[in-house]
Structure formats: C-alpha cells, structure tokens
Amino acid sequence: MESDGFFIEYFSIFRGIHEGSWAFLAVLFIIAYFLYRGRKLKAGTILHMIARLFYILMLVSGVGMLVAWEFPLMYVVKGLLAVLLIAFMEVATGKAKRNENSLGSLFIVFLLLLVVVLMGFGVIRF
C-alpha cells in the first residue's frame, strides 16, 4: 500500500482525531492557564502536560490530512497559524506560571484560535 493511499483511506480517522484534539486542547489550555493564575501549580502543570500531548495529536493528524489533500495552500496557512497558536499558548501558560503579565499573549491566543477554527470550518476561505 502506498503512503498516499494510506492517508486517503484513513482520512476520516485523521479528521476525527484532529477535531477532537482541538476541542480538548482549547479546554485544557483555558483550565491550565487559570490554574496557573490561581497559583495551583501542580494541577496546572498536569493539565499543561496533557495539553502538550494533544498538541502532538493535533499536529500529526493535521499533517495526515494535508498529505491526503495534497497540501492545498489554505490549509498549509492554517497549519502554520496553528503552530503559531501553539507557540503563543506555551508563552501564555509560561507567563501565567511565572505570575507575569500574560494578557497580551492570551489575547493573541484567542484571536489565532478564532481564525484557525473559522478556517477549519470553511468560514474563512481564500
């Protein structure tokens, strides 16, 4: 079986993992962020590590879908924005953990999350 056939055959699995990972990731990020802000460091760290697992699941499933779709430009851009989103999620939770001002990073996270989700559902197209 060639690799492209694999990705096309299991596309629905990749899509299910990808959508579920985004949902869990958003919830885990918000809870971990507010646990860190509330100085509940141990619980925040546990949820932050689980969120990192979902980063990996989301990235692998996203790449699988890109391969199956043969890398359309819009979804490549969405993927790059998603990687940027993950970076800002890490910055925001890191600042919250260190009890620094993280409002700017949090704003960027919510803005990028909105754009990426709207691109994923086809509301934003180009």
Side-chain angles (χ1 to χ4, degrees), residues 108-122:
I108 293 171
V109 165
F110 286 122
L111 182 66
L112 282 172
L113 183 63
L114 179 68
V115 170
V116 169
V117 168
L118 290 176
M119 287 178 80
F121 283 110

Side-chain angles (χ1 to χ4, degrees), residues 29 33-34 37 88 91-93 95-96 100-111:
F29 165 74
Y33 178 84
F34 285 109
R37 292 311 272 173
F88 276 102
V91 168
T93 51
K95 285 184 175 185
E100 297 173 5
N101 182 6
S102 59
L103 228 43
S105 299
L106 190 63
F107 175 75
I108 293 171
V109 165
F110 286 122
L111 182 66

Side-chain angles (χ1 to χ4, degrees), residues 12 16-18 24 26 37 44-45 47-48 53-54 58 61 79 82 87-88 93-94 103-104 111 120 126:
S12 63
I17 291 170
H18 194 73
F24 279 114
R37 292 311 272 173
T45 300
L47 287 181
H48 193 189
L53 172 66
F54 281 98
M58 187 257 313
S61 61
F88 276 102
T93 51
L103 228 43
L111 182 66
F126 56 86

Side-chain angles (χ1 to χ4, degrees), residues 52-65:
R52 288 177 175 157
L53 172 66
F54 281 98
Y55 293 154
I56 293 169
L57 287 172
M58 187 257 313
L59 289 171
V60 169
S61 61
V63 169
M65 290 191 308

